[in-house]
Amino acid sequence: MAAISWANLLVGLCLAPLLPGVIARTKALFAGRRGQPLAQLYLDLWKLLRKGAVYSSVTTWVFRAGPVVGLAAAVAALLLLPLGGAPAVVAFDGDLILLVALLGALRFFLVTAALDTGSAFEGMGASREMGFSALAEPVLLVALAAMARGTGETSLSGMFGATIPGEWATQPHAMLLIVSALFVVLLAENSRIPVDDPNTHLELTMIHEVMVLDHGGPDLAFILYAAALKFWLLGALLVGIVVPLREIPPALAAATAVAGMALLAFAVGVVESCMARLRMSRVPQLLVGAGGLATVALMLELVRS
Amino acid sequence: MAAWVDAILVFAVLTNLAVLGSSRLGLCIRMVAAQGIMIGLLPVVGHWHAVDARAVGLATASVLLKGFLVPWLLHWALVEANVRREVEPYIGYPMSVLIGVASLCLCLWLSARMPLPVAAGEAGTGASALAAPVAFFSILCGLLMIVSRRKALTQVLGYLVMENGIFTFGVALALEEPFLVEFGVLLDVVGAVFVMGVAVFHISREIHSIDTDQLSMLREERR
């Protein structure tokens, strides 16, 4: 069992940078372009890792710590993540809170590094990132709490284990609500389109991009890789609920989960192609709506008992 | 069929929250219409094991009235009144949704402590554990929409949402209640909405706005 967990971890580490490529190709498909290669992010990472880093003289160790600690937090969170019904490498009661905390640590160090540059732009991006995350994080926690209540387990590996098909049979509405809330969280936390447009380079509209303007070389590679891992993390939670296949061999289950991730990236690409970015003042409305969905799901699970 | 009853009730909760959180009047009208259709199906879906002509009649009547006639009337008033098609709330949209979620919690807590005529979840009755909380929640949402929105049209919508809550309670829980009462309530609603729709139209023609704040202009003299 441990072998399949480590294999799943390796799959996550290797395939996470593929998903942004899938999203970009989907958008290109919709726009009638050929698009960048699927492996573009791997090439970018390779290019950046070979470069040297330039540090502004006003920055301190906080600026250099940001990308490193961020990547470490993302990898640590990946250790807690079950994939395709197989348990995670590390699992204990209440590890869902640690997962959210690690995502919070990733964000905190990224934001402090952005603030450390002293640039007005980066401060603005940092403030927005924190503002929207403050709304998205409770949604994630409440959705996971609803899952925990429904399955009676408080570790992620237990929650996303064998009980998922039974949950779909008994509480389909609650599960649907959880899935939609998690999808909004996925879009918001990864700065995808209804919340932030990852393609823009207008300083007034971007959130995530603006925070990493002063990073270069290996630091930027770490940040991009950590962002891809974050997408993989939140996506795997969603796929773990949506693909309720548990009675098949672990290797096949992992393969279906990876296929599910590719489909999820495709879905995100479709959303990005069909929607415009929301006005900045409307984003909290979207997140509060997702919070409403998650809370209703939690209420449904509470009433069932 | 219990799962379908639950699905309808969850749909009612979601449409309520959506109406509280959306800014476009046209969208709100469509949401309330969809809610009316789904709630109107409850007499048939909820009593699936013993559907009779009365249940079918009630479902047909309420779907036609609340899903099609009333929304059409409100759309007509919206177009004729020629006003800005925005809700213009006194309480912001995120705040309204939060209050909605809080009142949902309150309703769940309340109905867990309330002796109901039909034990929730009892086999064969079609009564869902969600029916009472969702009914109270719809009533509270309707009330919230009436007090927190500026436009006269939204207040009609709040009234309709409240009526949907009462209808849910009646159909899902009071099994022995004669359907005649439901028909009576339905007729009242149509009459009231018809009067309100026409009133909205006349208010807008008279004072060029359906802002209820400005109804004080209708006084004889200003002091």
Side-chain angles (χ1 to χ4, degrees), chain B residues 4 7 25 50 58 65 107 111 121 124 138 143 195 205 214:
Chain B
W4 289 102
L25 265 177
L58 181 59
L65 290 178
C107 294
S111 38
S138 291
L143 209 56
V195 170
R205 207 172 55 180
Q214 297 188 11

Side-chain angles (χ1 to χ4, degrees), chain A residues 5 27 96 123 129 145 164 175 193 222 247 257 296 298:
Chain A
S5 306
K27 289 171 75 174
L96 62 102
E129 169 93 3
I164 294 281
M175 298 298 273
I193 248 181
F222 284 4
E247 302 297 319
V296 171
L298 181 62

Side-chain angles (χ1 to χ4, degrees), chain A residues 199-220:
Chain A
N199 285 345
T200 50
H201 287 282
L202 293 166
E203 290 80 353
L204 290 177
T205 57
M206 56 197 190
I207 302 168
H208 183 83
E209 290 287 320
V210 77
M211 287 199 301
V212 301
L213 276 178
D214 279 66
H215 291 277
D219 285 341
L220 186 57

Side-chain angles (χ1 to χ4, degrees), chain A residues 171-174 177 282 284-285 288-289 291-293 295-296 299-300 303, chain B residues 3 6-7 10 13-14 17 21 93-94 97-98 101 104-105 108 129-130:
Chain A
Q171 286 283 70
H173 332 103
L177 294 179
R282 295 285 301 273
Q285 224 169 310
V288 167
L293 295 182
T295 317
V296 171
M299 292 295 137
L300 288 174
V303 163
Chain B
D6 279 357
V10 171
V13 171
L14 294 184
L17 289 178
Y93 306 110
V97 173
L98 284 181
V101 169
L104 179 63
C105 300
L108 284 166
L130 283 175

Side-chain angles (χ1 to χ4, degrees), chain A residues 4 22 30 33 54 76 90 103 107 118 121 128-130 166 176 178 194 198 200 216 231 243 246 251 253 257 263 277:
Chain A
I4 186 73
V22 175
F30 267 77
R33 293 178 282 119
V54 179
V90 182
L103 289 178
R107 184 183 316 123
F121 277 159
R128 285 175 184 166
E129 169 93 3
M130 277 323 223
L176 265 182
I178 293 174
T200 50
F231 188 91
V243 184
R246 294 294 181 267
L263 272 179
R277 195 179 57 79

Side-chain angles (χ1 to χ4, degrees), chain A residues 12-82:
Chain A
L13 287 174
C14 294
L15 292 185
L18 198 61
L19 296 179
V22 175
I23 297 177
R25 280 301 279 267
T26 311
K27 289 171 75 174
L29 188 75
F30 267 77
R33 293 178 282 119
R34 185 181 300 152
Q36 62 189 25
L38 275 177
Q40 182 64 46
L41 187 53
Y42 293 102
L43 301 176
D44 284 349
L45 291 176
W46 177 239
K47 176 189 75 182
L48 289 168
L49 282 174
R50 281 180 302 159
K51 287 186 173 180
V54 179
Y55 297 107
S56 150
S57 59
V58 299
T59 58
T60 61
W61 63 271
V62 175
F63 182 76
R64 297 175 188 223
V68 180
V69 179
L71 182 58
V75 174
L78 206 62
L79 286 174
L80 298 171
L81 185 78

